[in-house]
Amino acid sequence: MVEHTDPNPFKIFHIGHLMANTIGESLSRLVEFSGADVVRACYQGDVGLHVAKTLWAVGKNPEDMTIEYLGKMYVLGSEKYEEDESAKKEIISINKKIFEKSDPEINTLYEKGRKLSLEYFDAIYAKLGSRFDRFFFESEVADAGKAIVLKFLEQGVFEKSQGAIIFPGEKHGLHNRVFINSEGLPTYEAKEIGLTARKFELYPDMSESVIVTANEQSDYFKVLLKTLSLIAPEHASRMKHIAHGLLRPSSGKMSSRKGNIVPAETMLEEIESLVAEKMKERDFGAEELASIRKDVAVSALKYSILRQAIGGDIIYDPEKSVSFEGDSGPYLQYACVRAGAVVAKAGVSEEVKTFPETVEPLEKLLARFPEVVERSRLEYAPHYIVTYLIELAGAFNSYYTIHKIIDEKDPLSPYRVLLTETFAGVLKNGLWILGIEVPKRM
């Protein structure tokens, strides 16, 4: 199982989610391509203080809900929670009512906002070419998590502290964390315990449960995995946390009005407009052009994220990312499209009867693809595939420059066509692992 992206309903799907989605989908495909069954999972916080903050603000400013509106209300609710003691008490009360489902008016607002958020997320997943096999929600694992914490409180794994129940991480060289707050509600930590139990209940034969998050959650996961090693060691031993850095736009143009959160769709629209500018001279129909523009924009973003080792921050340069030359996703897409066009022009494959006497760099590189995939899988490192594909495309371009692929008078032409077809196939497979689609034309 690879769990990733994990956007919270009632909040904006931002560029951090784009990064997690790109990495998580690529890791899923990498393992899947290597022959394993993969469950793509997404865990979403549909209950909790962030929901209460949003609904408190919505209640104060009722109007037709939109995603943009929910995002603004979350910001407003968060500000009031910090500044206004009266508002804070009201938000805490709403949080409890959401958890208990005890207020019909709040329940109605909640269901409407939750549905709107999930539809909004689905539209972004469709554009990114990612999918999920299983969605988990905090609301469905909260009770189980609380019950597990209370059970192991009696066994001394957890302790009571100032009306709350904590895991004493300091005793294990870590830090203390609250699992049940003073209101008697399970925190994110307790829900994660419930989530883990649910995952292994549904998929008992799961060999590994990989969780992809931003590296700001690394310390949290150290405590969580230590806790699980004490209460469910058979689960903890099969869990792996992969932490990624932040995606930072190089241009201030990408910043939101608040200057801190960049919505995912804003970034994708910016990249698509840059692609459209580069393709304005191309003679395509409106529908095909829109499809190509979307695929090239997604490729530009994903390539920029996956080209370096997971873990470091990325300064994203939109202009550089949409280049059709050199180190970019669109460059690889174009190389694949061009090779495919050569094969299509050659027509029906001729039987290869004559082979070259020397082995070209292109042939040597093609033979390395399986070992590159294997190394990437073992290390959970898609950047090895990115590096390989750039080298492979460069070797093909050199080969294409030196040799005439289609030449009826040359006995080596059938071989060169077959080699070109093989190159296109390997490149397309490599791009698929990265989550990048190849258009039919560019």
Side-chain angles (χ1 to χ4, degrees), residues 384-405:
Y384 292 135
I385 290 177
V386 175
T387 302
Y388 167 80
L389 294 182
I390 281 292
E391 192 177 351
L392 182 68
F396 174 74
N397 286 339
S398 297
Y399 185 84
Y400 186 82
T401 301
I402 296 168
H403 302 289
K404 189 174 182 181
I405 307 296

Side-chain angles (χ1 to χ4, degrees), residues 232-408:
E234 72 283 5
H235 295 163
S237 64
R238 289 183 279 168
M239 294 177 69
K240 181 178 183 65
H241 176 233
I242 295 178
H244 62 78
L246 300 177
L247 183 64
R248 303 179 185 278
S250 62
S251 168
K253 294 177 185 176
M254 301 294 287
S255 299
S256 67
R257 280 190 293 266
K258 295 293 291 184
N260 51 8
I261 296 220
V262 182
E265 62 268 40
T266 300
M267 175 170 262
L268 289 169
E269 285 166 7
E270 287 273 356
I271 302 168
E272 281 196 41
S273 67
L274 290 173
V275 174
E277 184 63 27
K278 283 188 171 290
M279 297 187 67
K280 63 183 179 182
E281 304 297 329
R282 308 293 167 97
D283 184 23
F284 297 125
E287 190 174 332
E288 184 181 15
L289 185 60
S291 176
I292 295 171
R293 196 166 59 225
K294 186 264 293 180
D295 286 341
V296 173
V298 169
S299 135
L301 177 68
K302 288 189 174 187
Y303 181 94
S304 299
I305 291 170
L306 297 172
R307 65 188 292 269
Q308 69 179 45
I310 298 170
D313 289 355
I314 293 170
I315 305 300
Y316 180 67
D317 184 336
E319 288 281 356
K320 187 178 178 182
S321 76
V322 299
S323 171
F324 280 63
E325 298 175 2
D327 190 10
S328 74
Y331 165 73
L332 292 178
Q333 288 174 307
Y334 186 69
C336 197
V337 169
R338 185 167 68 167
V342 170
V343 174
K345 184 179 179 182
V348 180
S349 300
E350 292 183 45
E351 182 184 353
V352 178
K353 297 177 181 178
T354 306
F355 295 85
E357 295 180 3
T358 57
V359 178
E360 298 271 2
L362 176 60
E363 291 144 313
K364 291 178 181 178
L365 274 171
L366 287 169
R368 283 186 48 219
F369 183 55
E371 70 183 58
V372 173
V373 172
E374 179 70 354
R375 183 184 183 191
S376 297
R377 181 188 68 81
L378 290 172
E379 298 183 27
Y380 286 108
H383 72 279
Y384 292 135
I385 290 177
V386 175
T387 302
Y388 167 80
L389 294 182
I390 281 292
E391 192 177 351
L392 182 68
F396 174 74
N397 286 339
S398 297
Y399 185 84
Y400 186 82
T401 301
I402 296 168
H403 302 289
K404 189 174 182 181
I405 307 296
I406 303 171
D407 187 346
E408 294 178 3

Side-chain angles (χ1 to χ4, degrees), residues 36-209:
D37 293 326
V38 178
V39 177
R40 292 163 170 81
C42 185
Y43 176 48
Q44 296 169 100
D46 62 339
V47 292
L49 210 51
H50 71 281
V51 181
K53 290 173 181 176
T54 303
L55 293 189
W56 176 86
V58 168
K60 303 291 179 183
N61 303 274
E63 62 175 74
D64 289 337
M65 276 193 195
T66 62
I67 288 300
E68 184 181 18
Y69 173 66
L70 285 178
K72 288 178 181 177
M73 291 303 98
Y74 170 68
V75 171
L76 175 61
S78 297
E79 289 173 352
K80 293 297 183 182
Y81 183 84
E82 298 297 330
E83 300 168 358
D84 187 331
E85 194 60 34
S86 174
K88 183 175 181 178
K89 288 179 181 177
E90 290 176 11
I91 289 168
I92 290 171
S93 173
I94 289 172
N95 190 36
K96 197 165 186 178
K97 289 175 181 177
I98 293 169
F99 187 76
E100 296 169 345
K101 296 186 177 179
S102 58
D103 187 312
E105 187 178 341
I106 290 173
N107 290 347
T108 299
L109 281 176
Y110 170 82
E111 291 299 336
K112 186 176 180 180
R114 184 181 187 273
K115 182 174 183 289
L116 187 68
S117 294
L118 297 181
E119 289 172 349
Y120 157 65
F121 296 158
D122 283 343
I124 295 176
Y125 300 145
K127 177 169 275 195
L128 294 173
S130 65
R131 64 177 178 83
F132 291 99
D133 304 297
R134 179 78 203 194
F135 290 95
F136 294 97
F137 295 94
E138 285 189 31
S139 58
E140 69 178 288
V141 298
D143 288 339
K146 181 178 179 179
I148 293 169
V149 172
L150 292 174
K151 174 185 174 182
F152 283 90
L153 171 65
E154 296 174 4
Q155 298 182 28
V157 174
F158 299 96
E159 296 178 358
K160 290 185 177 179
S161 174
Q162 299 178 348
I165 296 174
I166 68 164
F167 175 73
E170 290 178 354
K171 292 183 178 180
H172 305 279
L174 300 167
H175 63 276
N176 300 341
R177 291 198 79 97
V178 176
F179 277 68
I180 298 178
N181 65 24
S182 57
E183 298 286 323
L185 298 178
T187 60
Y188 196 80
E189 290 80 353
K191 295 166 193 169
E192 192 93 47
I193 296 292
L195 170 66
T196 302
R198 182 67 176 145
K199 284 180 177 179
F200 284 97
E201 177 190 348
L202 289 171
Y203 305 97
D205 298 329
M206 182 162 55
S207 58
E208 193 163 36
S209 174

